[in-house]
Amino acid sequence: MPNQTSVTEFLLLGVTDIQELQPLLFVLFLAIYLVIVAGNGAILMVVISEPRLHSPMYFFLGNLSCLDICYSTVTLPKMLGNFLSSHKAVSFWGCISQLHFFHFLGSTEALLLAVMAFDRFVAICKPLRYTLIMNPQACAQMAVTVWIIGFLYALLHSIMTSHLNFCGSNYIHHFFCDIKPLLKLACGNIELNQWLLSIVTGTIAMGPFFLTLLSYVYIIIHLSFKTHSCSTLHKALSTCASHFMVVVLFFAPVVFTYIRPTSGSSMDQDRIIAIMYSVVTPVLNPLIYALRNKQVKGALRRVIRRRL
């Protein structure tokens, strides 16, 4: 069924309607974007160039940094341009493309965080079999799988959304094209789209979240029975602390946004929450991993010395 919409472009209303705040917000989000690119880029460079970090844990960390750079690039450059422009338009297919890549990268990151939790589970609970289970081929296959699943999931949403009929207002009460704001503008039956948003997106979000929690519960139980040393328990759990912080920061706002019914949500509230998982989390990831990980900090220092 071809798309019958009469809307050829959408107008993004952005973060706020207060004009006086636009220049300040531009500077703020530009600084955040530069930190995201620089911080995650530094981790990616270190993971690739430092032989001591050529292990499964840092292979997945490199994937996460790459995802965070791309994830923020989907929304922030357009947002920054709109702060300085009076015409905040995006074409129909440009909007669908932004929606696709946002959900593609976001869902891939959700799945990748679950894979990283599995890596920590194997490293702590099955250390003698770690190199056998998490061999380079298996790690590459897991990484490729989560990227493919994320792409297909986003493709489902972008195709379904592109076939909706938009015959009324073209004002999107958001700073990027997302499914829920577009559903509010659609004419006709959107029950299937809402079902996909609740069930499929809920599964993509909650599935990895619960698997991650299950991994940590099993790690705690395993260590509690296997070791009687508090220092050993603390050391093992500290290796998971950084990952757990990222999981909470990423999943909490995502679940709150997409599990709720579309009709019962506030656009202002959704915009604030969207900033959390699309802007704040990518900028915190390199800080969390670099500041809490001695190997990453040491590798960064060695790379900087070699560059100088």
Side-chain angles (χ1 to χ4, degrees), residues 76-136:
L76 278 174
K78 180 62 178 176
M79 181 202 293
L80 292 170
N82 286 343
F83 282 137
L84 303 179
S85 173
S86 58
H87 186 60
K88 305 178 181 183
V90 56
S91 68
F92 177 85
W93 289 110
C95 188
I96 297 298
S97 297
Q98 188 181 49
L99 179 154
H100 172 78
F101 283 102
F102 182 80
H103 283 270
F104 164 38
L105 298 166
S107 59
T108 302
E109 181 162 339
L111 295 167
L112 181 65
L113 289 172
V115 171
M116 293 173 74
F118 175 73
D119 172 68
R120 292 299 84 208
F121 160 74
V122 177
I124 294 172
C125 299
K126 301 182 183 297
L128 298 179
R129 299 183 60 196
Y130 180 72
T131 55
L132 179 64
I133 297 173
M134 301 301 293
N135 61 75

Side-chain angles (χ1 to χ4, degrees), residues 173-176 180-181 184 256-258 260-262 265-277:
H173 292 265
H174 217 308
F175 59 90
F176 68 95
K180 289 181 75 173
K184 288 182 177 292
F256 189 76
T257 299
Y258 292 104
R260 292 178 303 157
T262 304
S265 62
S266 162
M267 285 293 104
D268 290 335
Q269 196 175 56
D270 283 347
R271 280 185 286 191
I272 295 171
I273 297 172
I275 290 174
M276 284 295 298
Y277 61 78

Side-chain angles (χ1 to χ4, degrees), residues 3-17:
N3 178 47
Q4 300 295 324
T5 183
S6 60
V7 173
T8 58
E9 67 176 18
F10 294 101
L11 298 175
L12 295 167
L13 297 184
V15 178
T16 179
D17 299 328

Side-chain angles (χ1 to χ4, degrees), residues 154-167:
L155 188 63
L156 174 66
H157 273 308
S158 57
I159 290 175
M160 292 299 298
T161 306
S162 68
H163 280 75
L164 291 173
N165 184 19
F166 299 97
C167 54

Side-chain angles (χ1 to χ4, degrees), residues 240-289:
C240 304
S242 299
H243 179 254
F244 187 72
M245 289 172 65
V246 171
V247 167
V248 172
L249 287 170
F250 181 80
F251 281 107
V254 169
V255 169
F256 189 76
T257 299
Y258 292 104
I259 300 302
R260 292 178 303 157
T262 304
S263 59
S265 62
S266 162
M267 285 293 104
D268 290 335
Q269 196 175 56
D270 283 347
R271 280 185 286 191
I272 295 171
I273 297 172
I275 290 174
M276 284 295 298
Y277 61 78
S278 65
V279 179
V280 176
T281 301
V283 79
L284 288 180
N285 281 354
L287 297 176
I288 290 171
Y289 280 108

